[in-house]
Amino acid sequence: MATACLYVGPLLAGMGGYGWAVVPVFIAIFLLWLIVLRPQEWPQTAADWQSPDSWLAIATRAVVQTLLVVICFGVGRGLAGVAGLSVTLPFMGPIFLSLLAIPIARLACPPGQSAAINAFLDDALTEVEAAATPDAEAGRRAAARLFAARLTEPLTELRPDTEASVIDGHLAALRGHLEPEVLLDALHDRLVDAGPALRRAFILQATDPLTVEACQGRAAPVQAMQVAGDDPALLELFAERCALLLDQNADAWGDCPNETALDAARARFPEQSGVGAALRALIQRNRALAPLA
């Protein structure tokens, strides 16, 4: 959500017919986003600020953020021109929207958690380098498993009532460092006595299109349904995610639970409940795709 607000700001500004003079404002907001969300990537001391390497890195980030803003702004202007849209917005509306992304992202990802992930990353990379032994392949596998275990450890500290959207944000960050199947295995290893938040994380990862494609034949969505068990909230989340998965990739049908299993689950809940409706919708989607299997 936070990232969406950040990028939608310049997009709306372009659609609203704002002039190019507003682009530097959004560039400043994008750079502030990086400073607040990734303080470890910026110079920490006066000596660091005087280093040519630091200024080169800052210049590179500034160029990247400038390109992102220009692209979003240009796309907005293009959409308005092609579609003949006339969008009327409050003058500061798009700017405030992008600014709002910064506190939202900070609340979703506290500084301590980011630092912990970076520490895990540094330790794991050291161990991966040390795995270059005569039995390098086995060493790399062990190091990768440890790497994934350390990166997913912060997920065990999430509150039981953590929203799925927040958990999905954590998973999105982890996917930048871990292959889909490695992340899935790491989450599976933590399921023993896992709380609702971690089980929710496994369901989200197991029904992710990239994970199902990478783990074809492993029936990851079936595992997700098993992890949901008889918990109505988790089972409803699974049903909604699995239906969305099938909408995006019909070939995933073979890795999803069959109609018999889904019917048995649906029978345990009232017809008018949220989980009952979600399972009925998934059964209908499953039935529609069955001839394609």
Side-chain angles (χ1 to χ4, degrees):
M1 176 181 176
T3 305
C5 289
L6 182 71
Y7 288 97
V8 168
L11 181 70
L12 287 177
M15 295 178 67
Y18 288 58
W20 286 95
V22 77
V23 168
V25 178
F26 284 108
I27 294 173
I29 294 174
F30 275 51
L31 288 173
L32 180 61
W33 162 281
L34 290 181
I35 293 172
V36 173
L37 270 296
R38 302 175 185 174
Q40 73 281 356
E41 295 182 2
W42 294 80
Q44 305 294 312
T45 65
D48 291 338
W49 280 104
Q50 296 173 5
S51 168
D53 290 340
S54 294
W55 282 105
L56 178 60
I58 292 172
T60 302
R61 294 189 187 101
V63 169
V64 171
Q65 300 311 307
T66 299
L67 288 174
L68 289 174
V69 171
V70 169
I71 290 171
C72 291
F73 187 76
V75 168
R77 288 176 70 94
L79 287 174
V82 171
L85 298 176
S86 179
V87 181
T88 302
L89 299 169
F91 176 70
M92 295 295 290
I95 294 174
F96 280 136
L97 183 62
S98 287
L99 278 173
L100 183 64
I102 298 175
I104 292 176
R106 173 50 70 209
L107 290 173
C109 186
Q113 182 174 336
S114 178
I117 289 179
N118 285 323
F120 292 148
L121 180 59
D122 291 339
D123 290 345
L125 286 176
T126 299
E127 296 194 28
V128 169
E129 291 173 357
T133 63
D135 191 14
E137 184 59 33
R140 279 193 293 270
R141 285 198 301 269
R145 191 181 186 90
L146 178 61
F147 181 29
R150 290 184 172 182
L151 283 183
T152 54
E153 186 172 346
L155 292 174
T156 64
E157 301 171 5
L158 294 177
R159 293 169 53 88
D161 58 351
T162 303
E163 295 289 337
S165 58
V166 175
I167 298 174
D168 209 16
H170 289 288
L171 293 175
L174 292 174
R175 290 178 189 125
H177 302 293
L178 299 172
E179 295 296 327
E181 63 271 25
V182 174
L183 177 54
L184 182 68
D185 289 339
L187 293 172
H188 187 271
D189 290 343
R190 292 188 176 278
L191 286 178
V192 179
D193 299 325
L198 197 55
R199 292 165 65 194
R200 203 170 289 124
F202 181 85
I203 292 170
L204 291 172
Q205 181 64 17
T207 52
D208 180 76
L210 291 179
T211 299
V212 176
E213 183 177 355
C215 302
Q216 191 171 11
R218 288 182 52 181
V222 174
Q223 296 179 45
M225 183 176 174
Q226 293 170 346
V227 168
D230 289 328
D231 186 306
L234 292 179
L235 199 55
E236 182 175 355
L237 173 64
F238 158 74
E240 292 173 348
R241 291 277 300 191
C242 193
L244 183 60
L245 168 67
L246 291 174
D247 285 340
Q248 296 176 351
N249 181 10
D251 291 337
W253 181 88
D255 281 324
C256 294
N258 58 37
E259 186 176 340
T260 301
L262 293 173
D263 262 328
R266 184 192 55 79
R268 297 197 295 269
F269 299 95
E271 286 287 332
Q272 302 306 318
S273 64
V275 60
L279 284 169
R280 280 199 309 276
L282 177 56
I283 290 170
Q284 292 172 357
R285 192 76 183 98
N286 180 287
R287 189 177 296 152
L289 292 174
L292 302 179

